[in-house]
Amino acid sequence: MSEIGQKIKTVFGQAAVYKNPNNNEVFIGRNLPSFVKDYLLATHIDLDGSLRREALVEFLDKHIPVNHNAIRARLMQGEVLTLLTRFEVSTNLAGNKTQFQIPEMGIKNNDTLIPQHIVDEYSNDLIDGEKWGIIKLVYIPPMDNSRGYVEMAKFKPFRPLEKLDLDSFREGRKHFSVDEWIDVLLSAMEYTPEAFANKTQKLEFLARLLPFIEPRLNFIELAPKGTGKSYVFGNLSKFVWLIGGGKVSRAKLFYDKSRKTPGIMLHHDLVALDEIQSISFTDNMEMRSILKNYLEYGKTNVDNYEFMSECGLILLGNIPLSEDGFPLSDKYLDELPEAFKESALIDRFQGFIEGWLLPRVTTDMALRDWTLNVEFFSEVLHQLRTAPEYSNIVNQLVSVPNGSDMRHVKAVRRTATAYLKLLFPHITKKEDLDIDEFYTYCLKPAIHRRDIIRQQCANIDRESSFAKPMPAFTLRY
């Protein structure tokens, strides 16, 4: 156990969990995100960090079976199953009922029903979209002219933290220096801080958390393969949806006109479009128009439906590098799909992550120590999104000259706010903030990330205002 691991365990108590890569062997064959694994480990690990392996295996075999293909047969044979699983809820307006599907188990919408009394009891949880929960399933055989179907007989939301004490988390942050807290955050992402060569690498890696913690913060990250992009956005939070390549439609993201249901961006904090080079849109012009409105205002119109959300968007892609590890061209966005090759659209992204500065992930980077429970950590990021104190501090501190480009100003202020939440969550009043630290860790990197977006827009549209430098942001001491 490291010194920082011991400190995390002491300060955060039950919100800490011991990570041992060897423990992951028990999950082989079960594709579970980290926030689920951490819940299971936390409930089966003793205070000394030792795993009650047999008890955990018994729980997994009972509630998260490896053989998904046998689930339907077991249900038809009359077995009642209680599963901890991901499922998708949808409202069937024509049939006046609520249904669900579990694609991994071959259970489809048309074969299911959620009874109305369960929908009424959990009305805030069983809205359309992806869910995690403990569900009891029973098969109802066909009777007379009706079809057989799978009924959700019981439901319990996957919510290990019934209530999060944000003030307690903020108080815990006070026990750590800035450098220590950077290491705490890296370990919460399940990486060993010592595996990073320097602070630049650490802070670039942590930049991935900025869209988690600030509403509608839109970023682009281009990085070589193997730097952990997909893992971070696909495993750390149930509030983030990762789309890994393929066709993406307006119906899936925003609004399905045929079903009259909103898309995934309504119910999540962040949507990550991974392998962006391989993503295509069913209608480039329609998607470009919708995205420009949404990224600017947080709302867009689809026919007569006004879609509104605070969900952020991040584009994740690969970029070819030279032998010295830097991009072959200063036109970073050449690899993006055609729909994104427009300066007016790219200008609506607040920041850029230089993924080529990051190390390639190796087995040595896997954490073996005490750290924050991922479910706890993701809930903290989620709740800090709506905490207003931080943007108030930034607005009080940051000054810009008259005539500054409004998108630059909004982008820098919002990114600096995200940094303040991430690195200094315990600071809720301007008077308590170290101004030099704020400039170094919040304002300066926010300006840099936005400036990269400006430069890339200038590469696309050279005869424009993008050629002008960033506004001269200053601090009010």
Side-chain angles (χ1 to χ4, degrees):
M1 184 190 311
S2 69
E3 184 177 338
I4 196 73
Q6 178 61 58
K7 196 168 182 178
I8 292 171
K9 181 184 178 184
T10 302
V11 171
F12 289 103
Q14 292 184 340
V17 65
Y18 186 79
K19 293 293 183 72
N20 184 340
N22 294 335
N23 289 340
N24 288 329
E25 295 175 2
V26 76
F27 298 112
I28 289 177
R30 297 175 173 91
N31 186 20
L32 299 175
S34 294
F35 58 84
V36 175
K37 290 180 183 178
D38 268 15
Y39 161 73
L40 296 171
L41 289 172
T43 54
H44 291 86
I45 279 183
D46 293 327
L47 292 177
D48 63 357
S50 59
L51 178 67
R52 299 193 298 277
R53 186 176 294 270
E54 290 184 7
L56 178 53
V57 169
E58 183 180 348
F59 180 94
L60 291 171
D61 289 343
K62 184 176 181 180
H63 300 296
I64 313 178
V66 173
N67 188 358
H68 288 168
N69 295 328
I71 295 296
R72 287 173 298 169
R74 290 169 64 183
L75 287 168
M76 284 191 64
Q77 292 166 6
E79 191 172 346
V80 177
L81 300 178
T82 300
L83 306 175
L84 170 57
T85 186
R86 180 187 74 90
F87 61 96
E88 297 173 27
V89 175
S90 62
T91 302
N92 184 333
L93 293 174
N96 191 29
K97 55 188 176 181
T98 304
Q99 297 173 288
F100 68 97
Q101 64 175 350
I102 313 177
E104 295 87 350
M105 300 178 185
I107 297 176
K108 302 177 181 179
N109 268 323
N110 292 338
D111 301 327
T112 65
L113 177 68
I114 306 177
Q116 191 58 44
H117 70 90
I118 292 181
V119 175
D120 292 340
E121 183 178 358
Y122 297 99
S123 57
N124 292 328
D125 295 288
L126 292 175
I127 54 178
D128 286 20
E130 182 190 75
K131 313 293 170 192
W132 275 90
I134 299 172
I135 56 178
K136 179 182 281 189
L137 302 182
V138 59
Y139 178 67
I140 308 298
M143 296 180 63
D144 300 328
N145 294 324
S146 66
R147 298 175 55 194
Y149 62 92
V150 177
E151 181 177 282
M152 186 184 292
K154 283 187 179 180
F155 168 69
K156 182 180 179 182
F158 179 74
R159 196 182 295 133
L161 296 171
E162 292 296 334
K163 185 178 180 184
L164 173 69
D165 184 354
L166 203 52
D167 287 336
S168 177
F169 171 78
R170 288 168 169 150
E171 192 64 32
R173 164 62 180 91
K174 295 178 182 178
H175 294 269
F176 299 86
S177 67
V178 177
D179 287 343
E180 287 177 331
W181 188 245
I182 288 170
D183 287 353
V184 170
L185 295 173
L186 289 169
S187 71
M189 297 172 77
E190 303 189 313
Y191 291 89
T192 301
E194 291 76 15
F196 294 84
N198 49 53
K199 189 183 288 188
T200 296
Q201 281 191 349
K202 291 180 178 182
L203 290 171
E204 201 67 29
F205 200 87
L206 290 183
R208 290 172 170 172
L209 295 179
L210 297 174
F212 284 67
I213 207 170
E214 176 69 7
R216 221 163 31 84
L217 192 64
N218 309 304
F219 265 46
I220 300 172
E221 178 183 348
L222 298 181
K225 295 178 180 179
T227 52
K229 298 188 300 295
S230 304
Y231 185 83
V232 168
F233 293 98
N235 283 274
L236 292 187
S237 176
K238 62 177 176 284
F239 303 108
V240 176
W241 186 294
L242 179 73
I243 299 176
K247 276 196 175 294
V248 177
S249 66
R250 175 258 310 141
K252 181 170 185 174
L253 286 181
F254 294 103
Y255 184 70
D256 188 325
K257 291 189 285 190
S258 62
R259 297 173 58 195
K260 299 187 184 307
T261 55
I264 58 176
M265 292 193 75
L266 181 66
H267 304 300
H268 292 81
D269 289 350
L270 177 66
V271 167
L273 299 182
D274 196 13
E275 301 293 341
I276 189 66
Q277 289 94 335
S278 66
I279 281 180
S280 61
F281 296 123
T282 51
D283 186 328
N284 273 352
M285 295 304 294
E286 179 195 43
M287 186 62 78
R288 180 182 281 177
S289 175
I290 288 174
L291 278 173
K292 281 195 288 190
N293 283 326
Y294 177 75
L295 296 179
E296 181 78 10
Y297 305 110
K299 60 183 180 181
T300 190
N301 289 301
V302 180
D303 286 351
N304 294 321
Y305 176 79
E306 185 176 61
F307 177 91
M308 301 178 67
S309 175
E310 289 296 287
C311 180
L313 180 70
I314 185 166
L315 311 182
L316 304 172
N318 299 321
I319 187 168
L321 303 180
S322 62
E323 291 184 0
D324 58 358
F326 288 92
L328 294 173
S329 166
D330 63 352
K331 296 181 178 180
Y332 303 158
L333 306 184
D334 282 353
E335 301 295 322
L336 294 187
E338 195 62 35
F340 287 100
K341 292 181 179 179
E342 182 189 53
S343 60
L345 177 56
I346 296 301
D347 190 28
R348 285 155 164 85
F349 286 83
Q350 283 79 39
F352 188 96
I353 299 173
E354 299 167 281
W356 53 87
L357 300 178
L358 300 175
R360 185 175 176 84
V361 174
T362 66
T363 55
D364 296 337
M365 296 181 71
L367 187 71
R368 188 190 296 269
D369 206 346
W370 285 92
T371 186
L372 295 177
N373 183 309
V374 168
E375 175 63 14
F376 169 80
F377 183 56
S378 67
E379 190 69 38
V380 166
L381 298 176
H382 174 67
Q383 291 203 19
L384 282 172
R385 286 170 64 83
T386 54
E389 308 93 321
Y390 305 96
S391 61
N392 291 338
I393 293 173
V394 172
N395 290 336
Q396 291 173 44
L397 275 176
V398 178
S399 177
V400 293
N402 293 334
S404 297
D405 184 286
M406 184 54 70
R407 286 197 184 128
H408 291 335
V409 173
K410 287 183 177 180
V412 169
R413 282 180 170 163
R414 292 177 57 200
T415 303
T417 298
Y419 269 115
L420 187 59
K421 292 176 182 179
L422 186 65
L423 297 174
F424 306 97
H426 59 304
I427 303 296
T428 56
K429 293 186 299 183
K430 173 187 172 184
E431 295 74 25
D432 297 333
L433 185 63
D434 183 313
I435 304 299
D436 291 336
E437 286 187 339
F438 173 78
Y439 176 76
T440 300
Y441 293 104
C442 303
L443 182 57
K444 184 179 178 181
I447 296 170
H448 174 68
R449 297 195 186 285
R450 174 60 186 179
D451 195 32
I452 298 176
I453 293 292
R454 180 197 63 79
Q455 292 168 6
Q456 295 308 306
C457 287
N459 288 338
I460 297 172
D461 187 5
R462 292 191 178 277
E463 302 299 324
S464 71
S465 61
F466 297 120
K468 297 179 182 178
M470 290 288 290
F473 292 87
T474 56
L475 291 171
R476 300 187 186 102
Y477 282 86

